[in-house]
Amino acid sequence: MMTEGKPDLLTQRIKQAAEVIAVSSPVIALTGAGISVESGIPDFRGKNGLWSKYDPARYATIDAFLSDPVEVWNMLREMDELVLAAKPNPAHTALGILEKKGFLQHIITQNIDNLHQAGGSLNVIEYHGNCSTLSCLSCNRRYSMEEKRHEYLPTCECGRILKPDIVFFGEGIPEEVLNLSFDIARKARVLLIIGTSAQVSPANTIPVVASKNNARVIEINKEKTWLTEQLTDIFLEGGAGDIVSGLLKEIIKTGA
Ligand code: APR
């Protein structure tokens, strides 16, 4: 943010990042839970993250769901309440405007909260699925979370407990999502990485693929990650809401 006299380092770096984005195409974004924290959805590995309350080995693997769906639905219900109450924050809406103005071509999100779409983005690839629909692992019937929310244990008419259409640990990423994401990462001229610790594979290979194909990497995070030293070109340290809004303002100022 501007201080007396000389703009501070972050302000200078936001300007630098805006100048790169304004003249590059395609520009893509990879987002993680950090972009939705300001919407009231905790991240996973932060101090009050979801995994500090629920052991992912017991709640977030496909084996856990198959062996004890009742217990896993205790966590899923809490996540559903957080997602239901969440609204897009300035980071989501700024990305939606960047897409509308032609400065952003795709978002690959690890999030399942639908907030990019609610924030106006259209080209969203949901790498880990979306929690707004449920599927039956026995008869393949599908339901919306909306119609099943009133059931304490959402159950299929065939009698089986339903599974949200999200990717659990131990499940593969759908082939078409994997291939499309790899392809747009390979072609990207700029990769914006927002609010991810990049701990989870294969999502965390996307920055490597983009960087190996000479994309400029701009990372937005409250703290450094392993990406910062290894492949980030411009690191914008701070909250996603402020920084992405600041980026949008600077990009529009370039008049590109
Ligand atoms: N602004 C910017 N960055 C933030 C903010 C914020 N307001 N709040 C938190 N962060 C950063 C944290 O510093 C951290 O680096 O967001 C990152 C969140 O990391 P994780 O909690 O590990 O979330 P994510 O990277 O999305 O996890 C990937 O792991 O558990 C699985 O399927 C789950 O999709 C998830 C995947």
Side-chain angles (χ1 to χ4, degrees), residues 29-33 35 107-113 116-117 124-129:
L30 170 68
T31 66
I35 199 171
I107 293 174
I108 301 169
T109 187
Q110 299 171 87
N111 303 337
I112 57 170
D113 56 29
H116 283 300
Q117 294 89 330
V124 181
I125 297 169
E126 294 176 309
Y127 209 74
H128 293 153

Side-chain angles (χ1 to χ4, degrees), residues 29-30 191-196 207 217-221 227 231-232:
L30 170 68
L191 171 65
L192 256 180
I193 304 173
I194 310 172
T196 182
V217 177
I218 299 166
E219 184 183 9
I220 297 170
N221 200 311
L227 298 167
L231 44 89
T232 295

Side-chain angles (χ1 to χ4, degrees), residues 32-34 38 43-45 51 110 128 195-197 200 221 223 240:
E38 291 159 64
D43 65 10
F44 294 97
R45 297 171 183 82
W51 295 158
Q110 299 171 87
H128 293 153
T196 182
S197 64
V200 170
N221 200 311
E223 58 195 19

Side-chain angles (χ1 to χ4, degrees), residues 86-98:
K87 297 272 171 291
N89 67 55
H92 297 108
T93 49
L95 290 181
I97 296 167
L98 283 176

